[in-house]
Amino acid sequence: MKALGRHILVEFSGCNAEVLNDVSIIERSMVEAAQIAGATVINSTFHHFSPWGVSGVVVIQESHLAIHTWPEYRYAAVDLFTCGDSVDPWVSFEHLKKAFQANYSALEMNRGSLHVIQKSDFQPKIMREKPSFDLSKGHQIDRNVWFTDKDENQALSLRYTGDVLFDETNPFQRVRVLDSYSHGKFLAINNMVMCTERDEYHYHEMITHPVMQTHGNAKNVLVIGGGDGGTIRELFKYNVDNVTMVEIDEAVVRASKEHLPKIACEFNNPKLNLIIGDGIQFVKDAPANSYDVIIVDGSDPVGPAKGLFTAEFYNNCKNALKDGGLVITQGESPMFHEGTFVELNHCLKGIFGKQSVHTMLFHATTYPSGMWSLQVAVKGSKHPAKDFNKDQAAKFAQDKGLKYYNEDLHTAAFSLPTFVKTMLGDNA
Ligand code: SAM
């Protein structure tokens, strides 16, 4: 052995930019590159950057592999460093070259040339403990891959295993199911967390029960979006006659059925009329006075969901509602996308009247800022925070084993912090 280590500096160019911007593909490729070369992987830590790019390192028993990507230049800087002779870093190089569909230039350096350095009689005071796992027998690699839902200033990140359970991109969006360490499996659309196994009921119970309890006897309900199935799961806790669900992307339904069965558990309900189509067009064509309750369980105002934040859409919702009917929609947050939050509120007030629009806040612990809103508009004079049967709501929450919604929270959720009232112009 002429040197303690071999260090290959690689310039990958002309790479596939989408690949260079995908933290899970990069992490998986780097871990595989180490394993294929016979290295023993100890852990991996990978993160994607704003607005793009990925950086990460795979620590191996034989040293490390590191990468930083510039998708906008289709370029990746890679370091392959191995000590000893057991691992050939060029094998890792070949694997990454294929994975990134790259051109390259590469330079190998001997590190710690034994012509230059001599071993000293270093006797460490404390001999480090043997690792708690036997590397030769295969062990659980500690993989730290971060999924980040963010805008240019704020973010929420979940550490996940690096395994991608579902990943499909279609004309509407990219749909993924990933497995996080802290919140179980989660559904992501593009780079947004839609729901996680651990806290999904916060959202699904609050977008359903306050309006259903306020209506008191809803029989015909329309759900726009809601492809994960959590909202219809809550709705079928009621004795409804019919639930029509209009979801634009069948991949969301399929991914949820396959990987989130506790959420997507009511898709075979005989009272469900599931339509794969555009909810905006559906509401436009809907007969007047059809629905008791309309639940708009849509994603953020991008892509197919953009139209779910327009006056035209809510005018059509009002038309499709029976008198006394209620529409509720996920309303973004006073602390994240606050512009959309206020605009939507004012849009609803313009259509239903200021006195008929009511905003709830709840804890959405895996949405950026953690504070999220649901905006309710009533085709009539009922006030959802007051005009509901509290005892009936308490009994329902008890009997159905609800974990978030209860009769006190029903009222409290409509009590807004002063700064939010000011934002919405609800101080009067
Ligand atoms: N809780 C999530 C949130 O607050 O962001 C929403 C979850 S749910 C999965 C959102 C669903 O709305 C997605 O499945 C998406 O495909 C669907 N969607 C978006 N735009 C739509 C449209 N125009 N018509 C019907 N469904 C739509």
Side-chain angles (χ1 to χ4, degrees):
M1 180 169 75
K2 301 192 297 321
L4 297 178
R6 302 171 68 183
H7 192 175
I8 303 179
L9 297 171
V10 186
E11 301 281 272
F12 280 129
S13 55
C15 305
N16 174 321
E18 293 302 328
V19 167
L20 291 191
N21 198 34
D22 188 311
V23 66
S24 42
I25 295 177
I26 297 284
E27 189 268 350
R28 205 170 48 244
S29 308
M30 292 287 283
V31 168
E32 286 163 0
Q35 290 167 329
I36 286 175
T40 304
V41 177
I42 294 174
N43 73 39
S44 71
T45 299
F46 282 73
H47 201 82
H48 64 186
F49 282 87
S50 189
W52 44 62
V54 169
S55 198
V57 62
V58 177
V59 177
I60 54 179
Q61 179 76 0
E62 303 80 4
S63 190
H64 67 269
L65 287 67
I67 186 168
H68 191 90
T69 73
W70 285 262
E72 71 278 27
Y73 290 93
R74 302 176 62 202
Y75 164 69
V78 171
D79 281 79
L80 306 172
F81 193 121
T82 59
C83 56
D85 294 329
S86 61
V87 173
D88 177 356
W90 287 107
V91 174
S92 305
F93 162 80
E94 287 300 333
H95 181 75
L96 295 173
K97 190 176 72 178
K98 277 201 217 84
F100 303 158
Q101 301 148 32
N103 309 324
Y104 69 90
S105 65
L107 165 71
E108 176 169 357
M109 293 167 58
N110 284 333
R111 303 298 300 272
S113 162
L114 296 177
H115 300 301
V116 180
I117 57 175
Q118 278 91 36
K119 196 166 186 167
S120 72
D121 57 0
F122 165 67
Q123 287 304 327
K125 291 196 183 54
I126 306 152
M127 290 303 274
R128 212 168 276 125
E129 292 295 313
K130 270 209 156 305
S132 56
F133 43 74
D134 181 345
L135 291 170
S136 62
K137 288 214 183 69
H139 61 284
Q140 178 63 35
I141 302 172
D142 182 13
R143 298 172 71 185
N144 304 298
V145 192
W146 292 85
F147 177 93
T148 301
D149 181 346
K150 60 185 184 317
D151 66 5
E152 51 290 351
N153 303 315
Q154 275 189 76
L156 173 125
S157 294
L158 285 174
R159 185 166 78 96
Y160 70 101
T161 62
D163 298 334
V164 177
L165 307 176
F166 187 98
D167 189 355
E168 279 185 25
T169 299
N170 60 46
F172 299 118
Q173 55 210 4
R174 182 182 186 184
V175 180
R176 283 181 284 179
V177 178
L178 305 168
D179 195 359
S180 73
Y181 289 101
S182 58
H183 283 67
K185 297 193 192 89
F186 65 99
L187 171 71
I189 287 183
N190 302 335
N191 280 324
M192 301 176 282
V193 175
M194 291 292 115
C195 60
T196 80
E197 288 179 314
R198 182 174 173 199
D199 68 351
E200 55 81 13
Y201 61 90
H202 298 200
Y203 175 92
H204 291 124
E205 290 187 12
M206 290 308 281
I207 200 168
T208 307
H209 300 303
V211 284
M212 290 298 283
Q213 291 293 327
T214 301
H215 186 284
N217 187 30
K219 291 301 179 194
N220 195 12
V221 180
L222 173 63
V223 176
I224 302 297
D228 51 64
T231 296
I232 59 169
R233 178 195 64 202
E234 296 307 310
L235 276 174
F236 283 120
K237 290 175 179 169
Y238 292 84
N239 183 19
V240 290
D241 293 344
N242 179 62
V243 172
T244 302
M245 174 176 161
V246 184
E247 164 57 58
I248 201 163
D249 186 350
E250 66 77 30
V252 177
V253 175
R254 185 158 40 84
S256 304
K257 279 181 174 176
E258 204 178 328
H259 298 287
L260 302 166
K262 288 206 183 80
I263 303 176
C265 54
E266 287 285 1
F267 279 106
N268 299 324
N269 190 302
K271 292 181 179 176
L272 176 66
N273 169 19
L274 173 61
I275 297 166
I276 299 299
D278 185 350
I280 297 160
Q281 191 58 44
F282 182 87
V283 166
K284 196 174 186 168
D285 304 337
N289 307 314
S290 311
Y291 298 100
D292 300 303
V293 167
I294 297 177
I295 298 181
V296 184
D297 179 2
S299 31
D300 294 347
V302 289
K306 227 183 180 131
L308 302 177
F309 293 80
T310 62
E312 186 199 354
F313 174 72
Y314 287 102
N315 266 311
N316 293 331
C317 283
K318 185 177 182 185
N319 179 55
L321 274 177
K322 293 178 187 167
D323 288 345
L326 303 97
V327 57
I328 184 167
T329 180
Q330 79 85 1
E332 302 295 317
S333 169
M335 298 298 282
F336 189 75
H337 295 168
E338 51 267 33
T340 309
F341 168 69
V342 174
E343 276 160 36
L344 176 62
N345 183 266
H346 292 175
C347 163
L348 290 169
K349 285 170 177 165
I351 295 165
F352 289 83
K354 190 170 175 20
Q355 301 314 317
S356 297
V357 174
H358 312 274
T359 300
M360 275 189 279
L361 293 178
F362 71 101
H363 303 100
T365 43
T366 45
Y367 292 169
S369 83
M371 176 191 267
W372 216 256
S373 86
L374 293 158
Q375 310 216 19
V376 179
V378 184
K379 192 174 177 179
S381 57
K382 262 191 176 179
H383 191 308
K386 304 180 187 127
D387 303 330
F388 71 105
N389 180 324
K390 202 163 181 173
D391 298 338
Q392 188 181 299
K395 181 168 183 335
F396 182 91
Q398 181 91 25
D399 295 353
K400 302 295 179 184
L402 300 186
K403 296 186 288 179
Y404 194 94
Y405 172 89
N406 60 53
E407 71 286 3
D408 298 324
L409 191 66
H410 179 138
T411 304
F414 290 97
S415 303
L416 302 176
T418 307
F419 83 92
V420 177
K421 286 185 183 175
T422 308
M423 280 173 96
L424 297 176
D426 282 357
N427 279 339

